[in-house]
Amino acid sequence: MAERSFATEVQQLRHGAGTTLRVEGILAVTKALLQSGVAYVGGYQGAPISHLMDVLGDAHEILDELGVYFENSASEATAAAMLGASVHYPLRGAVTFKSTVGLNVASDALANLASGGVTGGALIILGEDYGEGSSIMQERSHAFAMKSQMWLLDPRPNLTAIVEAVEAGFELSEVSNTPVMLQLRLRSCHLHGTFVAKDNVRPATTVTDAIENPQRDLGRIVLPPASFAHEQEKVHQRLPAAVDFIRERGLNEVFGNGRADVGIIVQGGLYNTLNRALELLGCSDPYGRTRIPLYVMNVAYPVVDAEILDFCADKRAVLLLEEGQPDYLEQNLHAILRRAAVATALHGKDLLPMAGEYTASAVTGGVSAFLTTHLPDVLDGEPTLLLPESDPRSPFAVRVAPQAVQARPPGLCTGCPERPIFSALKLAERETGLHHISADIGCHLFSINEPFNLGATTMGYGLGSAGAAALNSKDADRRTIAIMGDGGFWHNGLTSGVGNAVFNDNDQLLVVVDNAYTAATGGQDVLSSGADNPRRSTRHPIERAVRGIGVKWVRTVTDTYRVGELRDLFVDALTGREPGPKVIVAQSECQLNRQRREKPRTNKAIKDGRRVIRERFGVDAETCTGDHACIRISGCPSLTVKANPDPMRTDPVATVTDSCVGCGVCGANAHAASLCPSFYRTDVVVNETRRDRVLAGIRSAWISALSGPVERRAAKYEVA
């Protein structure tokens, strides 16, 4: 169950030539693929590009009508290897996944693809996850493009520019027989705007045509001596062909040339931020009418030497905006200018941050410093956006003091079924002692933070088990623990983790968090999902898979909210004598996705006047001792504190807010840890019946009758 359905939006993909579409960036990319005559598409979900897979899945009827093959790939490597269909056949293919982590996984397939080259257009659409909104290590895709000599498009955040980049990407790939990478930053993926559509194009050659007419070119298979010829072909044929195409089609853009004798060179994806900075400095307007000449590199690699020299020819100085490290473009531009004996001064990282996202503040500071040095008359006073005093290079950097921002580390959702797993593990470690815990990519990685503080390393998606492989000793008196999710398990973990542990007789405990789908990337189905998927094969149990690969000790827990039972299972797994890897499959559905499904049903039932019962948990303030151990072992967002109602006690008491979804973990934790009896469950009845009202009256009267004497005695002592 994907977290969002695009079933309504995808109908816009049917619109033909001349129609102005107002859509989100992801839908514009999908439309561009169909307009380009794509023959097949695959990929693996990952922010910020996850929704592209969801859109393609919801558009399956349109794809079928056009003869386009689509699949949810098992991993980024699977997706990249799909592009092998374009090696011998004139098939336009596209795959998509998450920037550098996806490229890490797919690099073997892409390196071979780039070596042999392609006949049909091959497009890799990347969700570039760099900067403040990122969830991964801070690296860029640029290195992969340079390493394997694949062309890298970085279009302006503008729907027309993005659509044109998709279409031109296929043509560039075919002209130069080279795979093309198209990177879309976070803001481009979720950008809303308009573009003028074209007709969808049925692929000239379909996958079916290729299957029925097999072809083979020995020269494109990566094996010596052909592989040596591929390197020469890249340099002497493919690169010149790509450069000629980029120049002839004007893929890179120049704005405001001739308006000043200085200029700015910018990566296409940073154009909007740069224009905002220029606007704040009085050098542009919201529509991009700049007073400073700009060279916009919608193609980040290869760099077109002639265009750089043309742009710099009449300029005393230029500023390069290249986000992140290493400074590939800056080094390249220095080489181009100096080899040609061009005296234009080149600024970049000397005025802009060496690393980190180029926000409006960062860019404004760098641009203002550049213009103050080389063109001070163009500045229109101080920028509207005042900058932090921490950047000493900006002339406007001392206007305001930096404000402290409260740290907000990521955490698990209310009612998350993974929270009781970590609560049970902490309780188990009271008996077994502490263990090294190898974490993995996914929601469960949030357990490294308070209140759990579990997890020491994370080496990649599905590599939780492999990340603990070296910590395996027959002489140790305790076992290493590894954790991975069901998405990571099917992506990489089954072979590189479980299979490796079996092969090497590793004595670790692996916990597979099975919440029914890849929850962290948007709720997409995987092999073990329990839902009926008419287009995918699901319901393949993880336990059966690990037993099939050789694991003998496997336990499946079907309700992770039973904290006490799960704690006892952890103790058994960590102290048992049986050698070899042990696997616990902890199953419970992702609460966030469950609530997305249940809340509309509940709200409709309430609106229709039907009786609805909502389970809620609470804390008896008079019983609560105020030690807050329940919060320290749970961390649920709905569990917090409030003022103590007892004037004789000063410590605040625990309380449960209305965001509670009734999962019961707080009470289960309290019971399993023998904390206190203050938790209670209550049923909130909406659209109550007459019977409900009568029962409520009887209960209220009975409670009053029982508590009356106690209250009278208490009042007597208070008076005394």
Side-chain angles (χ1 to χ4, degrees), residues 105-149:
V105 176
S107 60
D108 197 8
L110 291 177
N112 280 279
L113 184 74
S115 179
V118 294
T119 301
L123 190 66
I124 303 106
I125 303 171
L126 301 169
E128 187 72 354
D129 196 14
Y130 180 89
E132 291 181 349
S134 175
S135 62
I136 60 168
M137 81 292 284
Q138 291 300 274
E139 294 183 0
R140 298 154 57 203
S141 302
H142 203 118
F144 285 89
M146 297 173 64
K147 173 187 76 69
S148 296
Q149 195 162 313

mmCIF file of all heavy atoms in Angstrom, residues 105-149:
data_model
loop_
_atom_site.group_PDB
_atom_site.id
_atom_site.type_symbol
_atom_site.label_atom_id
_atom_site.label_comp_id
_atom_site.label_asym_id
_atom_site.label_seq_id
_atom_site.Cartn_x
_atom_site.Cartn_y
_atom_site.Cartn_z
ATOM 1 N N VAL A 105 24.827 1.083 -5.147
ATOM 2 C CA VAL A 105 24.320 -0.268 -5.370
ATOM 3 C C VAL A 105 24.388 -0.623 -6.848
ATOM 4 O O VAL A 105 24.704 -1.759 -7.219
ATOM 5 C CB VAL A 105 22.875 -0.388 -4.844
ATOM 6 C CG1 VAL A 105 22.300 -1.763 -5.154
ATOM 7 C CG2 VAL A 105 22.827 -0.126 -3.343
ATOM 8 N N ALA A 106 24.093 0.336 -7.716
ATOM 9 C CA ALA A 106 23.967 0.072 -9.153
ATOM 10 C C ALA A 106 25.262 0.245 -9.929
ATOM 11 O O ALA A 106 25.287 0.021 -11.147
ATOM 12 C CB ALA A 106 22.906 1.009 -9.744
ATOM 13 N N SER A 107 26.347 0.621 -9.251
ATOM 14 C CA SER A 107 27.543 1.051 -9.975
ATOM 15 C C SER A 107 28.146 -0.029 -10.863
ATOM 16 O O SER A 107 28.689 0.276 -11.935
ATOM 17 C CB SER A 107 28.598 1.566 -8.986
ATOM 18 O OG SER A 107 28.958 0.555 -8.069
ATOM 19 N N ASP A 108 28.066 -1.287 -10.465
ATOM 20 C CA ASP A 108 28.650 -2.350 -11.292
ATOM 21 C C ASP A 108 27.930 -2.438 -12.633
ATOM 22 O O ASP A 108 28.554 -2.462 -13.701
ATOM 23 C CB ASP A 108 28.575 -3.688 -10.549
ATOM 24 C CG ASP A 108 29.505 -4.731 -11.149
ATOM 25 O OD1 ASP A 108 30.309 -4.378 -12.028
ATOM 26 O OD2 ASP A 108 29.418 -5.900 -10.750
ATOM 27 N N ALA A 109 26.596 -2.471 -12.567
ATOM 28 C CA ALA A 109 25.813 -2.546 -13.804
ATOM 29 C C ALA A 109 26.033 -1.302 -14.664
ATOM 30 O O ALA A 109 26.193 -1.391 -15.891
ATOM 31 C CB ALA A 109 24.331 -2.715 -13.479
ATOM 32 N N LEU A 110 26.044 -0.126 -14.041
ATOM 33 C CA LEU A 110 26.195 1.112 -14.808
ATOM 34 C C LEU A 110 27.579 1.232 -15.430
ATOM 35 O O LEU A 110 27.723 1.749 -16.544
ATOM 36 C CB LEU A 110 25.912 2.319 -13.906
ATOM 37 C CG LEU A 110 24.462 2.485 -13.450
ATOM 38 C CD1 LEU A 110 24.326 3.674 -12.516
ATOM 39 C CD2 LEU A 110 23.521 2.649 -14.646
ATOM 40 N N ALA A 111 28.606 0.770 -14.723
ATOM 41 C CA ALA A 111 29.958 0.824 -15.283
ATOM 42 C C ALA A 111 30.063 -0.045 -16.525
ATOM 43 O O ALA A 111 30.677 0.347 -17.531
ATOM 44 C CB ALA A 111 30.977 0.384 -14.233
ATOM 45 N N ASN A 112 29.476 -1.228 -16.485
ATOM 46 C CA ASN A 112 29.473 -2.095 -17.661
ATOM 47 C C ASN A 112 28.636 -1.511 -18.788
ATOM 48 O O ASN A 112 29.016 -1.582 -19.957
ATOM 49 C CB ASN A 112 28.949 -3.480 -17.281
ATOM 50 C CG ASN A 112 30.008 -4.337 -16.615
ATOM 51 O OD1 ASN A 112 30.851 -4.933 -17.269
ATOM 52 N ND2 ASN A 112 29.973 -4.384 -15.293
ATOM 53 N N LEU A 113 27.500 -0.916 -18.424
ATOM 54 C CA LEU A 113 26.638 -0.295 -19.429
ATOM 55 C C LEU A 113 27.368 0.846 -20.122
ATOM 56 O O LEU A 113 27.332 0.972 -21.353
ATOM 57 C CB LEU A 113 25.362 0.220 -18.756
ATOM 58 C CG LEU A 113 24.294 0.807 -19.675
ATOM 59 C CD1 LEU A 113 23.574 -0.298 -20.436
ATOM 60 C CD2 LEU A 113 23.283 1.624 -18.872
ATOM 61 N N ALA A 114 28.044 1.691 -19.329
ATOM 62 C CA ALA A 114 28.761 2.826 -19.902
ATOM 63 C C ALA A 114 29.956 2.385 -20.728
ATOM 64 O O ALA A 114 30.349 3.062 -21.682
ATOM 65 C CB ALA A 114 29.218 3.768 -18.788
ATOM 66 N N SER A 115 30.545 1.259 -20.387
ATOM 67 C CA SER A 115 31.691 0.772 -21.148
ATOM 68 C C SER A 115 31.264 0.311 -22.536
ATOM 69 O O SER A 115 31.781 0.791 -23.549
ATOM 70 C CB SER A 115 32.368 -0.381 -20.399
ATOM 71 O OG SER A 115 33.472 -0.881 -21.126
ATOM 72 N N GLY A 116 30.315 -0.597 -22.593
ATOM 73 C CA GLY A 116 29.876 -1.114 -23.887
ATOM 74 C C GLY A 116 29.084 -0.113 -24.697
ATOM 75 O O GLY A 116 29.076 -0.158 -25.925
ATOM 76 N N GLY A 117 28.398 0.815 -23.993
ATOM 77 C CA GLY A 117 27.589 1.800 -24.699
ATOM 78 C C GLY A 117 26.232 1.259 -25.060
ATOM 79 O O GLY A 117 25.940 0.069 -24.917
ATOM 80 N N VAL A 118 25.367 2.136 -25.523
ATOM 81 C CA VAL A 118 23.988 1.769 -25.820
ATOM 82 C C VAL A 118 23.618 2.160 -27.244
ATOM 83 O O VAL A 118 24.208 3.063 -27.831
ATOM 84 C CB VAL A 118 23.021 2.440 -24.827
ATOM 85 C CG1 VAL A 118 23.240 1.911 -23.418
ATOM 86 C CG2 VAL A 118 23.159 3.966 -24.846
ATOM 87 N N THR A 119 22.622 1.438 -27.759
ATOM 88 C CA THR A 119 22.046 1.765 -29.068
ATOM 89 C C THR A 119 20.802 2.626 -28.885
ATOM 90 O O THR A 119 20.646 3.670 -29.506
ATOM 91 C CB THR A 119 21.680 0.482 -29.825
ATOM 92 O OG1 THR A 119 22.858 -0.306 -29.996
ATOM 93 C CG2 THR A 119 21.073 0.796 -31.189
ATOM 94 N N GLY A 120 19.885 2.143 -28.015
ATOM 95 C CA GLY A 120 18.724 2.946 -27.661
ATOM 96 C C GLY A 120 19.072 3.923 -26.556
ATOM 97 O O GLY A 120 20.090 3.799 -25.883
ATOM 98 N N GLY A 121 18.208 4.910 -26.346
ATOM 99 C CA GLY A 121 18.456 5.888 -25.293
ATOM 100 C C GLY A 121 18.289 5.271 -23.921
ATOM 101 O O GLY A 121 17.299 4.591 -23.650
ATOM 102 N N ALA A 122 19.252 5.501 -23.033
ATOM 103 C CA ALA A 122 19.213 4.979 -21.667
ATOM 104 C C ALA A 122 19.299 6.145 -20.695
ATOM 105 O O ALA A 122 20.280 6.887 -20.694
ATOM 106 C CB ALA A 122 20.361 4.006 -21.431
ATOM 107 N N LEU A 123 18.262 6.310 -19.870
ATOM 108 C CA LEU A 123 18.164 7.458 -18.967
ATOM 109 C C LEU A 123 18.061 6.974 -17.523
ATOM 110 O O LEU A 123 17.214 6.141 -17.205
ATOM 111 C CB LEU A 123 16.940 8.306 -19.320
ATOM 112 C CG LEU A 123 16.801 9.668 -18.644
ATOM 113 C CD1 LEU A 123 17.911 10.605 -19.097
ATOM 114 C CD2 LEU A 123 15.437 10.294 -18.972
ATOM 115 N N ILE A 124 18.941 7.485 -16.654
ATOM 116 C CA ILE A 124 18.913 7.176 -15.226
ATOM 117 C C ILE A 124 18.429 8.420 -14.501
ATOM 118 O O ILE A 124 19.122 9.441 -14.453
ATOM 119 C CB ILE A 124 20.300 6.759 -14.695
ATOM 120 C CG1 ILE A 124 20.849 5.558 -15.477
ATOM 121 C CG2 ILE A 124 20.224 6.418 -13.214
ATOM 122 C CD1 ILE A 124 21.955 5.930 -16.429
ATOM 123 N N ILE A 125 17.214 8.371 -13.942
ATOM 124 C CA ILE A 125 16.613 9.524 -13.266
ATOM 125 C C ILE A 125 16.907 9.406 -11.775
ATOM 126 O O ILE A 125 16.461 8.470 -11.111
ATOM 127 C CB ILE A 125 15.096 9.578 -13.515
ATOM 128 C CG1 ILE A 125 14.819 9.616 -15.021
ATOM 129 C CG2 ILE A 125 14.484 10.790 -12.827
ATOM 130 C CD1 ILE A 125 13.356 9.463 -15.377
ATOM 131 N N LEU A 126 17.668 10.360 -11.258
ATOM 132 C CA LEU A 126 18.158 10.292 -9.884
ATOM 133 C C LEU A 126 17.477 11.332 -9.002
ATOM 134 O O LEU A 126 17.370 12.497 -9.382
ATOM 135 C CB LEU A 126 19.665 10.552 -9.852
ATOM 136 C CG LEU A 126 20.544 9.601 -10.664
ATOM 137 C CD1 LEU A 126 21.955 10.160 -10.748
ATOM 138 C CD2 LEU A 126 20.549 8.222 -10.042
ATOM 139 N N GLY A 127 17.039 10.906 -7.829
ATOM 140 C CA GLY A 127 16.593 11.842 -6.810
ATOM 141 C C GLY A 127 17.808 12.300 -6.040
ATOM 142 O O GLY A 127 18.311 11.579 -5.182
ATOM 143 N N GLU A 128 18.342 13.479 -6.361
ATOM 144 C CA GLU A 128 19.579 13.957 -5.738
ATOM 145 C C GLU A 128 19.295 14.384 -4.302
ATOM 146 O O GLU A 128 18.674 15.419 -4.066
ATOM 147 C CB GLU A 128 20.166 15.116 -6.551
ATOM 148 C CG GLU A 128 21.524 15.581 -6.097
ATOM 149 C CD GLU A 128 22.647 14.586 -6.421
ATOM 150 O OE1 GLU A 128 22.362 13.461 -6.900
ATOM 151 O OE2 GLU A 128 23.820 14.936 -6.205
ATOM 152 N N ASP A 129 19.738 13.588 -3.346
ATOM 153 C CA ASP A 129 19.392 13.779 -1.938
ATOM 154 C C ASP A 129 20.577 14.376 -1.188
ATOM 155 O O ASP A 129 21.237 13.713 -0.401
ATOM 156 C CB ASP A 129 18.983 12.433 -1.334
ATOM 157 C CG ASP A 129 18.243 12.592 -0.024
ATOM 158 O OD1 ASP A 129 17.830 13.719 0.280
ATOM 159 O OD2 ASP A 129 18.079 11.590 0.693
ATOM 160 N N TYR A 130 20.826 15.659 -1.455
ATOM 161 C CA TYR A 130 21.954 16.360 -0.834
ATOM 162 C C TYR A 130 21.426 17.602 -0.140
ATOM 163 O O TYR A 130 20.616 18.337 -0.701
ATOM 164 C CB TYR A 130 22.994 16.750 -1.891
ATOM 165 C CG TYR A 130 24.197 17.490 -1.339
ATOM 166 C CD1 TYR A 130 25.310 16.798 -0.885
ATOM 167 C CD2 TYR A 130 24.200 18.878 -1.245
ATOM 168 C CE1 TYR A 130 26.409 17.468 -0.364
ATOM 169 C CE2 TYR A 130 25.288 19.561 -0.734
ATOM 170 C CZ TYR A 130 26.391 18.849 -0.290
ATOM 171 O OH TYR A 130 27.469 19.515 0.228
ATOM 172 N N GLY A 131 21.856 17.848 1.075
ATOM 173 C CA GLY A 131 21.496 19.091 1.740
ATOM 174 C C GLY A 131 20.618 18.897 2.953
ATOM 175 O O GLY A 131 20.530 17.813 3.535
ATOM 176 N N GLU A 132 19.930 19.974 3.339
ATOM 177 C CA GLU A 132 19.207 20.010 4.603
ATOM 178 C C GLU A 132 18.086 18.975 4.693
ATOM 179 O O GLU A 132 17.763 18.507 5.774
ATOM 180 C CB GLU A 132 18.622 21.409 4.820
ATOM 181 C CG GLU A 132 19.683 22.471 5.086
ATOM 182 C CD GLU A 132 19.083 23.842 5.311
ATOM 183 O OE1 GLU A 132 17.880 24.006 5.051
ATOM 184 O OE2 GLU A 132 19.802 24.742 5.751
ATOM 185 N N GLY A 133 17.471 18.631 3.583
ATOM 186 C CA GLY A 133 16.378 17.666 3.621
ATOM 187 C C GLY A 133 16.822 16.236 3.415
ATOM 188 O O GLY A 133 15.997 15.340 3.267
ATOM 189 N N SER A 134 18.128 15.994 3.421
ATOM 190 C CA SER A 134 18.655 14.679 3.078
ATOM 191 C C SER A 134 18.510 13.680 4.213
ATOM 192 O O SER A 134 18.416 14.041 5.385
ATOM 193 C CB SER A 134 20.135 14.812 2.696
ATOM 194 O OG SER A 134 20.708 13.548 2.473
ATOM 195 N N SER A 135 18.514 12.403 3.833
ATOM 196 C CA SER A 135 18.452 11.319 4.818
ATOM 197 C C SER A 135 19.658 10.398 4.707
ATOM 198 O O SER A 135 19.665 9.321 5.299
ATOM 199 C CB SER A 135 17.164 10.503 4.599
ATOM 200 O OG SER A 135 17.164 9.916 3.310
ATOM 201 N N ILE A 136 20.681 10.802 3.948
ATOM 202 C CA ILE A 136 21.814 9.908 3.685
ATOM 203 C C ILE A 136 23.138 10.636 3.894
ATOM 204 O O ILE A 136 23.164 11.829 4.199
ATOM 205 C CB ILE A 136 21.764 9.360 2.241
ATOM 206 C CG1 ILE A 136 21.821 10.515 1.229
ATOM 207 C CG2 ILE A 136 20.538 8.509 2.021
ATOM 208 C CD1 ILE A 136 22.063 10.088 -0.183
ATOM 209 N N MET A 137 24.236 9.881 3.707
ATOM 210 C CA MET A 137 25.558 10.507 3.750
ATOM 211 C C MET A 137 25.636 11.582 2.668
ATOM 212 O O MET A 137 25.001 11.487 1.631
ATOM 213 C CB MET A 137 26.648 9.439 3.555
ATOM 214 C CG MET A 137 26.924 9.021 2.120
ATOM 215 S SD MET A 137 25.612 8.119 1.291
ATOM 216 C CE MET A 137 25.818 6.518 2.046
ATOM 217 N N GLN A 138 26.406 12.626 2.947
ATOM 218 C CA GLN A 138 26.438 13.778 2.058
ATOM 219 C C GLN A 138 27.477 13.600 0.954
ATOM 220 O O GLN A 138 28.645 13.965 1.103
ATOM 221 C CB GLN A 138 26.693 15.041 2.867
ATOM 222 C CG GLN A 138 25.524 15.407 3.758
ATOM 223 C CD GLN A 138 24.249 15.664 2.984
ATOM 224 O OE1 GLN A 138 24.005 16.771 2.516
ATOM 225 N NE2 GLN A 138 23.416 14.642 2.825
ATOM 226 N N GLU A 139 27.024 13.035 -0.158
ATOM 227 C CA GLU A 139 27.833 12.893 -1.360
ATOM 228 C C GLU A 139 26.987 13.284 -2.564
ATOM 229 O O GLU A 139 25.767 13.445 -2.465
ATOM 230 C CB GLU A 139 28.328 11.444 -1.510
ATOM 231 C CG GLU A 139 29.300 11.011 -0.413
ATOM 232 C CD GLU A 139 29.828 9.605 -0.645
ATOM 233 O OE1 GLU A 139 29.442 8.977 -1.654
ATOM 234 O OE2 GLU A 139 30.628 9.128 0.178
ATOM 235 N N ARG A 140 27.663 13.442 -3.706
ATOM 236 C CA ARG A 140 26.971 13.871 -4.922
ATOM 237 C C ARG A 140 27.084 12.807 -6.001
ATOM 238 O O ARG A 140 28.005 11.980 -5.994
ATOM 239 C CB ARG A 140 27.579 15.187 -5.427
ATOM 240 C CG ARG A 140 27.455 16.350 -4.468
ATOM 241 C CD ARG A 140 28.548 17.375 -4.704
ATOM 242 N NE ARG A 140 28.557 17.863 -6.073
ATOM 243 C CZ ARG A 140 29.625 18.398 -6.657
ATOM 244 N NH1 ARG A 140 30.762 18.515 -6.005
ATOM 245 N NH2 ARG A 140 29.565 18.809 -7.892
ATOM 246 N N SER A 141 26.174 12.875 -6.942
ATOM 247 C CA SER A 141 26.167 11.920 -8.050
ATOM 248 C C SER A 141 27.224 12.239 -9.095
ATOM 249 O O SER A 141 27.520 11.400 -9.950
ATOM 250 C CB SER A 141 24.782 11.917 -8.724
ATOM 251 O OG SER A 141 23.770 11.587 -7.797
ATOM 252 N N HIS A 142 27.766 13.452 -9.039
ATOM 253 C CA HIS A 142 28.693 13.931 -10.065
ATOM 254 C C HIS A 142 29.877 12.982 -10.253
ATOM 255 O O HIS A 142 30.328 12.736 -11.380
ATOM 256 C CB HIS A 142 29.204 15.322 -9.660
ATOM 257 C CG HIS A 142 29.701 16.139 -10.793
ATOM 258 N ND1 HIS A 142 29.144 17.344 -11.158
ATOM 259 C CD2 HIS A 142 30.716 15.924 -11.660
ATOM 260 C CE1 HIS A 142 29.796 17.839 -12.194
ATOM 261 N NE2 HIS A 142 30.758 16.998 -12.517
ATOM 262 N N ALA A 143 30.377 12.415 -9.139
ATOM 263 C CA ALA A 143 31.555 11.547 -9.222
ATOM 264 C C ALA A 143 31.289 10.319 -10.074
ATOM 265 O O ALA A 143 32.167 9.857 -10.810
ATOM 266 C CB ALA A 143 31.992 11.125 -7.813
ATOM 267 N N PHE A 144 30.085 9.767 -9.989
ATOM 268 C CA PHE A 144 29.756 8.576 -10.764
ATOM 269 C C PHE A 144 29.716 8.887 -12.255
ATOM 270 O O PHE A 144 30.132 8.080 -13.082
ATOM 271 C CB PHE A 144 28.416 8.006 -10.305
ATOM 272 C CG PHE A 144 28.484 7.290 -8.996
ATOM 273 C CD1 PHE A 144 28.300 7.964 -7.807
ATOM 274 C CD2 PHE A 144 28.748 5.925 -8.945
ATOM 275 C CE1 PHE A 144 28.373 7.322 -6.598
ATOM 276 C CE2 PHE A 144 28.822 5.267 -7.738
ATOM 277 C CZ PHE A 144 28.639 5.960 -6.559
ATOM 278 N N ALA A 145 29.192 10.069 -12.588
ATOM 279 C CA ALA A 145 29.160 10.463 -13.992
ATOM 280 C C ALA A 145 30.574 10.556 -14.553
ATOM 281 O O ALA A 145 30.869 10.046 -15.639
ATOM 282 C CB ALA A 145 28.433 11.800 -14.141
ATOM 283 N N MET A 146 31.469 11.169 -13.808
ATOM 284 C CA MET A 146 32.842 11.332 -14.264
ATOM 285 C C MET A 146 33.582 9.994 -14.309
ATOM 286 O O MET A 146 34.349 9.727 -15.233
ATOM 287 C CB MET A 146 33.577 12.308 -13.349
ATOM 288 C CG MET A 146 33.002 13.718 -13.360
ATOM 289 S SD MET A 146 33.778 14.791 -12.128
ATOM 290 C CE MET A 146 35.440 14.839 -12.747
ATOM 291 N N LYS A 147 33.350 9.170 -13.288
ATOM 292 C CA LYS A 147 34.072 7.899 -13.197
ATOM 293 C C LYS A 147 33.796 7.012 -14.409
ATOM 294 O O LYS A 147 34.713 6.431 -14.986
ATOM 295 C CB LYS A 147 33.653 7.173 -11.911
ATOM 296 C CG LYS A 147 34.196 5.765 -11.775
ATOM 297 C CD LYS A 147 33.602 5.052 -10.578
ATOM 298 C CE LYS A 147 32.188 4.599 -10.826
ATOM 299 N NZ LYS A 147 32.097 3.494 -11.810
ATOM 300 N N SER A 148 32.531 6.884 -14.775
ATOM 301 C CA SER A 148 32.166 5.971 -15.855
ATOM 302 C C SER A 148 31.906 6.686 -17.165
ATOM 303 O O SER A 148 31.524 6.056 -18.148
ATOM 304 C CB SER A 148 30.917 5.163 -15.459
ATOM 305 O OG SER A 148 31.188 4.347 -14.348
ATOM 306 N N GLN A 149 32.071 7.999 -17.187
ATOM 307 C CA GLN A 149 31.804 8.841 -18.353
ATOM 308 C C GLN A 149 30.385 8.639 -18.853
ATOM 309 O O GLN A 149 30.142 8.195 -19.970
ATOM 310 C CB GLN A 149 32.821 8.619 -19.477
ATOM 311 C CG GLN A 149 32.750 9.742 -20.523
ATOM 312 C CD GLN A 149 33.993 9.819 -21.393
ATOM 313 O OE1 GLN A 149 35.106 9.792 -20.901
ATOM 314 N NE2 GLN A 149 33.800 9.916 -22.697
#
